[in-house]
Amino acid sequence: MDYEEFSKAISRDRELEMSAAFPVLMRKVYLWMTLALVITGFTAYYVASSPQIAAMLFTNQILFWGLVIAELALVIGLSAAINKLSLPVATLMFVLYSVINGATLSLIFFTYSSTSIMNVFFITAGTFAGMALFGYFTKTDLSAMGKILMMALLGIIIATIVNIFTKSAGLESILNYLGVLVFVGLTAYDSQKIKQMLLTAPDAGE
């Protein structure tokens, strides 16, 4: 076997290895996401079911916005340092983010009915699954789109904070629709990014 044939054989073996590893990797990704949803859901329900905690959270603006800022800080911190963090530290930050997210989202139980919340949950889950599959199977490079979407997300966050003071119903509606579009795009981008990370990894191990 000459060098060219050897290289092709190695390439085929690696491709088969990655093809087998990718479904396992994605199952783990979705398992972690499911865990985060469960933690967030139970936290939101617990806070909404406790009049004392709910009153303390939503009448104390400093506490509420402190949690919102902490949530954003955790996202930024995890994104920036994910390759440097140990598994226990990353897991702890991930769980802490899920808990804080649940506390801040508990407000929806006071605003919407349980039926509405469940309908939106299943619509969101279906949309997420569809865009994740699109990100995996599409041949289009979504790298440039990911950068644009991250800038758009930053703009939405800033506009949302400004709208807290201006209280514009029209701007709120626009931000809601833009938020859906941005996160739909980010779902496809992240799925493709996970696939590319696996393909460029030295091996298909843990």
Side-chain angles (χ1 to χ4, degrees):
M1 180 184 294
D2 59 25
Y3 178 77
E4 185 178 349
E5 291 177 341
F6 178 75
S7 297
K8 287 181 179 180
I10 293 294
S11 179
R12 284 195 299 270
D13 289 343
R14 177 172 172 77
E15 187 176 341
L16 288 172
E17 182 186 21
M18 294 304 170
S19 297
F22 188 74
V24 177
L25 173 62
M26 292 309 293
R27 280 199 296 271
K28 290 184 177 182
V29 169
Y30 291 124
L31 180 63
W32 277 104
M33 289 195 62
T34 301
L35 176 64
L37 283 173
V38 170
I39 294 172
T40 295
F42 274 112
T43 303
Y45 182 77
Y46 177 77
V47 172
S49 302
S50 174
Q52 295 85 359
I53 298 177
M56 179 180 66
L57 183 61
F58 298 116
T59 58
N60 189 329
Q61 292 294 308
I62 295 177
L63 175 60
F64 179 79
W65 285 109
L67 289 176
V68 172
I69 293 171
E71 192 174 350
L72 289 173
L74 280 169
V75 171
I76 295 170
L78 273 169
S79 300
I82 191 63
N83 293 320
K84 301 175 184 177
L85 296 173
S86 65
L87 180 60
V89 173
T91 302
L92 179 62
M93 292 177 68
F94 183 73
V95 171
L96 182 60
Y97 168 79
S98 302
V99 170
I100 295 176
N101 195 34
T104 56
L105 286 177
S106 60
L107 179 64
I108 64 173
F109 284 95
F110 299 100
T111 309
Y112 302 100
S113 67
S114 298
T115 302
S116 297
I117 293 171
M118 289 301 296
N119 287 340
V120 170
F121 175 82
F122 285 118
I123 291 170
T124 304
T127 303
F128 173 82
M131 293 311 298
L133 288 172
F134 172 77
Y136 172 62
F137 287 109
T138 184
K139 302 299 182 183
T140 305
D141 185 2
L142 303 178
S143 300
M145 185 179 79
K147 295 175 183 177
I148 295 172
L149 290 171
M150 288 304 296
M151 289 188 289
L153 177 59
L154 180 60
I156 289 173
I157 292 172
I158 293 172
T160 301
I161 294 173
V162 171
N163 198 45
I164 291 170
F165 303 100
T166 60
K167 300 184 185 303
S168 170
L171 179 59
E172 182 178 358
S173 296
I174 293 172
L175 291 174
N176 287 338
Y177 285 109
L178 285 177
V180 170
L181 291 174
V182 167
F183 279 104
V184 161
L186 283 173
T187 299
Y189 165 73
D190 284 335
S191 295
Q192 187 179 80
K193 187 176 179 181
I194 291 170
K195 181 181 178 181
Q196 291 171 345
M197 287 170 65
L198 177 65
L199 292 175
T200 55
D203 58 65
E206 188 68 24

